[in-house]
């Protein structure tokens, strides 16, 4: 009787271990799929935020330049900064 009980306990433990492994595998697959789907959206959102910040910074620089009586020349748009010509060459 004791042997039968020990075997049933071992089978039950093995079955529980397999069930936990299957649940872990399923959660892992769901997490990977969710990250792949959300990853592109997050990337696009971060790019839009960076563009908005850069546009705002360019606007502030332009207004500051113009407030000092300078002429603002925008950059090329490839990350190159604009320039402010205040018209006072000290050469």
């Amino acid at each position: 009787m004791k042997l039968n009980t020990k075997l049933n306990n071992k089978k039950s433990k093995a079955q529980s271990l397999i069930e936990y492994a299957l649940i872990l595998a399923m959660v892992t697959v769901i997490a990977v799929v969710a990250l792949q789907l959300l990853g592109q959206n997050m990337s696009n959102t971060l790019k839009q935020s960076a563009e908005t910040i850069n546009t705002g910074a360019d606007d502030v620089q332009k207004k500051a330049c113009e407030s000092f009586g300078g002429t603002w020349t925008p950059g090329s748009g490839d990350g190159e900064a604009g320039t402010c010509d205040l018209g006072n060459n000290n050469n």
Side-chain angles (χ1 to χ4, degrees):
M1 183 82 162
K2 289 181 182 180
L3 181 60
N4 193 16
T5 305
K6 286 183 180 182
L7 288 176
N8 283 338
N9 284 341
K10 286 185 180 183
K11 286 181 184 179
S12 177
K13 287 180 182 180
Q15 183 179 1
S16 295
L17 183 62
I18 291 171
E19 289 173 353
Y20 287 131
L22 288 173
I23 291 170
L24 180 62
M26 185 175 62
V27 168
T28 302
V29 168
I30 290 171
V32 168
V33 169
L35 286 175
Q36 286 180 345
L37 292 175
L38 295 175
Q40 188 61 38
N41 291 339
M42 290 173 60
S43 175
N44 290 339
T45 301
L46 288 174
K47 285 178 185 176
Q48 288 174 343
S49 297
E51 288 173 7
T52 301
I53 290 170
N54 285 337
T55 301
D58 287 344
D59 289 344
V60 168
Q61 289 174 347
K62 178 182 177 184
K63 289 182 183 192
C65 178
E66 291 172 350
S67 71
F68 287 109
T71 305
W72 176 255
T73 306
S76 66
D78 295 332
E80 181 182 321
T83 58
C84 181
D85 182 16
L86 295 175
N88 55 355
N89 293 332
N90 293 330
N91 292 335

